[in-house]
C-alpha cells in the first residue's frame, strides 16, 4: 500500500476534521452574504466570471470578484454558487494552486468548458429555476453559449444589472482608481487623436451599411484613439472608459476629474464642433446608448470586446457587428513613426536583458541569487531605462 501523502500544502476535505493549508481562504461568510442577495433577487444559481466589463485580459483589484468570493487568485476561472453548493472551474495551469487556496466549501472542476458548467447547473438547479448573472461581465459569445446550454431545460438565464458579488462585498471592495489619466506625448504617437478620429469617420462613410456611430468598449481602443494613458490595471497603460463616436459628435465616458489639465485641454480644443470631445460620466454609458439607439441609427461594434449587457441595449436591426471594431483594426497597423518607436523600445529592453545576463553570470556561481531576487533585479534594470513605465507583465522567473 502507498504511504499516505505527506503534502500538507493542499487541502484535504475528506479528513475529519478537513485539513486546510494556511494559504486557503475561509469563504463561509462571503458565500452566506452572496446567498442572501441571491434569495432577494430570486436567483437559484449565480455565475461569477474572472473578467471585467471591458473583457480585459488583466483586471484591477476592484474587479477581482472571483478572487474575493473563492480565495482563488489565478487569472482565469468561473465560479457558480447555489444555495447549497459552490464550484470553481479552471484550467490545468491552476489545479494545484486552487487546491491550496480553496476551502472545503468549494468543488474544483478540472475543465473550463461551458458545456460542463451547463451540465452542473442542470443537476444543481431545479426545473423552473433562474440562473443569475451580470450581463455586463459576459461577452456576447459566452452569454449565447450559456443560453444554448440551458435551452429547453426549463431553467432561465436571469440578467441582473446589480452585481450580487459587489453587494455581498460591500464597503470592503477596493475603491476605483483615482490615478491621473495623461496624454501620451506627440513624439510617441505619429498621429494626433483628431487624425485618428477623421480616419475612423472615413471608414464609417465607406462602409456599405453607413453606420452612424462606433461604440468602443475595449480599454485599449479608447486609449489609442485619444492618445491617452492611465494605470487602472497593473502592467496595462489603460483607464476605465467607453467611447461613442458619431459622424458629428464624440462622447467619452470617463471619470473626468482624473484627466490631467493637458489631457482635458487637448480633448476640448475643438469645442464646439465635430472634433469636440464631450466628457460624460463613466457610469452613464448604458443610459446614453439607450437614448441614442431610439433614433434612426446604426451602431458599429466589435463583438470581441463588447459585453452582452451593452449589446442588448441596441435593437438587432440597428447593429453592425464585426469581430473587431474599426478602431481595433486601425490600431493593429503601425505607422512608420510607431514602428520606429517600437524598435527603439526593444533596443532599450535588450540592453536591460544583456545587463541582466551578465549580472547572472557573475552572481549565480556565488550562490547569491534565486528566482525571486533575479526577477526583482531585471525589473530594476528595466526601470532604469529611459521612458520606462514598468514591465508589461510580472516577470516569470524559473530555473532548472
Amino acid at each position: 500500500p502507498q504511504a499516505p501523502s505527506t503534502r500538507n500544502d493542499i487541502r484535504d476535505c475528506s479528513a475529519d476534521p478537513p485539513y486546510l493549508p494556511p494559504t486557503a481562504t475561509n469563504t463561509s461568510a462571503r458565500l452566506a452574504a452572496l446567498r442572501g442577495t441571491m434569495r432577494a433577487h430570486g436567483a437559484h444559481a449565480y455565475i461569477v466570471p474572472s473578467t471585467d466589463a471591458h473583457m480585459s485580459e488583466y483586471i484591477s483589484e476592484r474587479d477581482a470578484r472571483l478572487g474575493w468570493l473563492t480565495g482563488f487568485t489565478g487569472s482565469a476561472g468561473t465560479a457558480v454558487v447555489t444555495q447549497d453548493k459552490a464550484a470553481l472551474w479552471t484550467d490545468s495551469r491552476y489545479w494545484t494552486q486552487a487546491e491550496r487556496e480553496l476551502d472545503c466549501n468549494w468543488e474544483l472542476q478540472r475543465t473550463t468548458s461551458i458545456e460542463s458548467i451547463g451540465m452542473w447547473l442542470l443537476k444543481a438547479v431545479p426545473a423552473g429555476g433562474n440562473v443569475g448573472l451580470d450581463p455586463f461581465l459576459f461577452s456576447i459569445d459566452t452569454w449565447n453559449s450559456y443560453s444554448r446550454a440551458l435551452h429547453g431545460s426549463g431553467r432561465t438565464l436571469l440578467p441582473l444589472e446589480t452585481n450580487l458579488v459587489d453587494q455581498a462585498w460591500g464597503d470592503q471592495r477596493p475603491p476605483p482608481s483615482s490615478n491621473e489619466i495623461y496624454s501620451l506625448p506627440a513624439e510617441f504617437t505619429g498621429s494626433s487623436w483628431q487624425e485618428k478620429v477623421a480616419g475612423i469617420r472615413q471608414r464609417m462613410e465607406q462602409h456599405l451599411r453607413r453606420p452612424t456611430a462606433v461604440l468602443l468598449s475595449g480599454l485599449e481602443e479608447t486609449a489609442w484613439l485619444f492618445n491617452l494613458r492611465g494605470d487602472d490595471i497593473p502592467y496595462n497603460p489603460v483607464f476605465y472608459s467607453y467611447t461613442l463616436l458619431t459622424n458629428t459628435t464624440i462622447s467619452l465616458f470617463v471619470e473626468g476629474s482624473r484627466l490631467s489639465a493637458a489631457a482635458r485641454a487637448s480633448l476640448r480644443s475643438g469645442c464646439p464642433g465635430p472634433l469636440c470631445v464631450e466628457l460624460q460620466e463613466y457610469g452613464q454609458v448604458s443610459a446614453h446608448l439607450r437614448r441614442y439607439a431610439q433614433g434612426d441609427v446604426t451602431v458599429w461594434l466589435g463583438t470581441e470586446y463588447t459585453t452582452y449587457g451593452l449589446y442588448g441595449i441596441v435593437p438587432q436591426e440597428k447593429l453592425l457587428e464585426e469581430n473587431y471594431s474599426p478602431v481595433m483594426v486601425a490600431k493593429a497597423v503601425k505607422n512608420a513613426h510607431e514602428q520606429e518607436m517600437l524598435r527603439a523600445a526593444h533596443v532599450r529592453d535588450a540592453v536591460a536583458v544583456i545587463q541582466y545576463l551578465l549580472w547572472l553570470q557573475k552572481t549565480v556561481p556565488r550562490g547569491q541569487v534565486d528566482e525571486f531576487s533575479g526577477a526583482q533585479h531585471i525589473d530594476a534594470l528595466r526601470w532604469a531605462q529611459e521612458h520606462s513605465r514598468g514591465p508589461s507583465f510580472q516577470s516569470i522567473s524559473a530555473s532548472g
Side-chain angles (χ1 to χ4, degrees):
Q2 285 191 317
S5 167
T6 53
R7 283 192 67 171
N8 62 356
D9 64 339
I10 63 171
R11 63 183 184 160
D12 182 356
C13 296
S14 62
D16 186 22
Y19 170 74
L20 293 179
T23 45
T25 300
N26 180 344
T27 62
S28 296
R30 298 171 187 189
L31 281 167
L34 176 62
R35 285 169 172 147
T37 64
M38 285 165 59
R39 281 193 295 276
H41 285 86
H44 297 91
Y46 193 66
I47 307 177
V48 183
S50 54
T51 53
D52 67 9
H54 302 272
M55 303 290 104
S56 306
E57 181 183 0
Y58 296 86
I59 57 170
S60 71
E61 284 189 11
R62 182 174 170 79
D63 284 316
R65 298 174 178 91
L66 184 81
W68 174 79
L69 181 66
T70 64
F72 169 68
T73 59
S75 68
T78 303
V80 183
V81 176
T82 66
Q83 285 303 328
D84 58 352
K85 288 191 173 73
L88 172 78
W89 282 256
T90 190
D91 64 77
S92 56
R93 291 174 297 169
Y94 293 122
W95 292 343
T96 304
Q97 181 177 339
E99 295 286 10
R100 289 174 179 164
E101 294 181 333
L102 298 176
D103 66 7
C104 291
N105 287 310
W106 293 90
E107 303 167 21
L108 176 61
Q109 304 285 335
R110 295 167 188 261
T111 169
T112 56
S113 81
I114 290 176
E115 291 75 22
S116 157
I117 300 173
M119 296 295 289
W120 190 92
L121 282 165
L122 294 183
K123 285 184 194 149
V125 177
N130 289 320
V131 177
L133 68 181
D134 179 343
F136 292 94
L137 290 181
F138 289 84
S139 71
I140 300 160
D141 280 353
T142 305
W143 178 281
N144 289 336
S145 298
Y146 280 114
S147 194
R148 281 194 297 274
L150 298 180
H151 183 73
S153 70
R155 285 98 175 151
T156 310
L157 270 189
L158 177 66
L160 295 167
E161 297 204 3
T162 303
N163 187 288
L164 303 191
V165 174
D166 294 353
Q167 275 202 329
W169 205 344
D171 57 10
Q172 297 300 298
R173 187 180 175 212
S177 172
S178 55
N179 295 337
E180 187 174 75
I181 299 166
Y182 57 94
S183 289
L184 197 63
E187 70 212 65
F188 295 112
T189 62
S191 42
S192 68
W193 71 259
Q194 291 91 340
E195 289 167 330
K196 292 178 178 180
V197 165
I200 301 303
R201 282 176 169 159
Q202 194 177 1
R203 289 179 185 229
M204 290 161 68
E205 295 261 307
Q206 290 166 349
H207 199 287
L208 282 173
R209 287 201 43 203
R210 299 297 288 270
T212 59
V214 174
L215 175 66
L216 305 179
S217 291
L219 298 181
E220 58 271 44
E221 299 179 294
T222 289
W224 178 84
L225 185 63
F226 296 113
N227 293 332
L228 295 175
R229 298 291 185 269
D231 53 5
D232 290 6
I233 298 176
Y235 308 109
N236 291 260
V238 294
F239 51 92
Y240 288 104
S241 55
Y242 295 95
T243 300
L244 188 69
L245 172 66
T246 78
N247 306 327
T248 55
T249 64
I250 310 168
S251 298
L252 171 58
F253 300 86
V254 68
E255 207 53 62
S257 60
R258 296 174 49 208
L259 288 163
S260 71
R264 182 180 284 270
S266 156
L267 296 173
R268 306 289 292 161
S269 59
C271 299
L275 285 172
C276 169
V277 179
E278 293 162 24
L279 299 175
Q280 313 258 9
E281 282 302 307
Y282 172 75
Q284 289 301 305
V285 65
S286 298
H288 186 94
L289 186 61
R290 192 168 276 113
R291 281 195 301 276
Y292 181 76
Q294 287 167 358
D296 179 17
V297 298
T298 303
V299 179
W300 191 0
L301 53 81
T303 53
E304 289 286 322
Y305 287 87
T306 308
T307 62
Y308 186 82
L310 278 183
Y311 170 82
I313 289 172
V314 185
Q316 199 65 44
E317 68 279 4
K318 296 181 180 182
L319 275 172
L320 166 55
E321 301 172 45
E322 289 178 1
N323 284 351
Y324 299 101
S325 78
V327 168
M328 204 56 108
V329 174
K331 172 183 167 303
V333 181
K334 306 300 178 193
N335 62 38
H337 185 70
E338 286 169 320
Q339 291 180 38
E340 192 187 318
M341 294 289 103
L342 279 169
R343 289 190 194 100
H346 275 286
V347 168
R348 290 195 299 275
D349 192 66
V351 169
V353 172
I354 291 163
Q355 289 172 334
Y356 178 61
L357 294 173
L358 191 64
W359 176 82
L360 277 182
Q361 219 168 12
K362 287 177 180 166
T363 49
V364 169
R366 297 182 205 148
Q368 291 172 338
V369 59
D370 59 24
E371 286 95 329
F372 185 65
S373 62
Q376 286 181 305
H377 189 72
I378 194 165
D379 284 353
L381 291 170
R382 285 186 161 130
W383 269 115
Q385 289 295 323
E386 195 184 6
H387 307 306
S388 172
R389 304 292 301 200
S392 59
F393 55 88
Q394 192 172 5
S395 289
I396 299 171
S397 184
S399 67

